[in-house]
Amino acid sequence: MGKKILIVDDSVSIRQMVSFTLKSAGFETDEAGDGKAALEKAKGKSFDLVFTDQNMPVMDGLTLIRSLRGLPSYKSTPILMLTTEAGDDMKNKGREAGATGWLVKPFDPQKLLQVVSKVLV
């Protein structure tokens, strides 16, 4: 059975592109349109990896990461930021919140899969 990956982004097209890329590589995906919806899904079932955008309505990516890290089942789950934010300041905030890594949009599908294979060892 494939590993389960949660994709969190307020852009439907981004979620679809990431999901398509991951499914084509044999992963199972689930999607959420904001951090709050993602947190609810994460509490209900376990994911092997979480992709999150930063700028979303209701709950942003950093808040989501901190919230997930507060759950015992997500203490060591890889969480990757997938965002247009590429500044060092934001990357440092991501690391402080507990992000495992960072990918900048628009993403390269091959690079996305390389990163996924590194963090899901």
Side-chain angles (χ1 to χ4, degrees), residues 9-84:
D9 199 304
D10 57 329
S11 162
V12 173
S13 58
I14 293 285
R15 289 199 313 262
Q16 287 174 338
M17 284 190 296
V18 174
S19 184
F20 177 80
T21 301
L22 294 168
K23 282 179 177 171
S24 69
F27 295 103
E28 283 182 45
T29 64
D30 200 346
E31 300 174 17
D34 63 64
K36 188 172 186 292
L39 191 57
E40 290 306 310
K41 285 189 181 219
K43 286 177 179 173
K45 69 194 219 198
S46 73
F47 293 95
D48 300 295
L49 170 64
V50 177
F51 272 104
T52 183
D53 185 19
Q54 166 52 18
N55 301 310
M56 297 178 290
V58 189
M59 182 191 288
D60 68 20
L62 293 175
T63 306
L64 171 62
I65 292 171
R66 286 189 205 100
S67 301
L68 287 172
R69 290 293 182 226
L71 302 172
S73 54
Y74 286 91
K75 285 259 186 277
S76 60
T77 301
I79 302 174
L80 298 172
M81 294 290 289
L82 179 63
T83 179
T84 53

Side-chain angles (χ1 to χ4, degrees), residues 57-117:
V58 189
M59 182 191 288
D60 68 20
L62 293 175
T63 306
L64 171 62
I65 292 171
R66 286 189 205 100
S67 301
L68 287 172
R69 290 293 182 226
L71 302 172
S73 54
Y74 286 91
K75 285 259 186 277
S76 60
T77 301
I79 302 174
L80 298 172
M81 294 290 289
L82 179 63
T83 179
T84 53
E85 306 254 359
D88 287 339
D89 182 45
M90 188 51 90
K91 287 182 180 174
N92 287 335
K93 285 181 182 165
R95 269 194 289 280
E96 285 166 15
T100 311
W102 203 275
L103 283 152
V104 178
K105 293 180 202 169
F107 69 94
D108 170 355
Q110 274 319 110
K111 190 165 189 233
L112 183 109
L113 291 174
Q114 285 172 342
V115 172
V116 168
S117 67

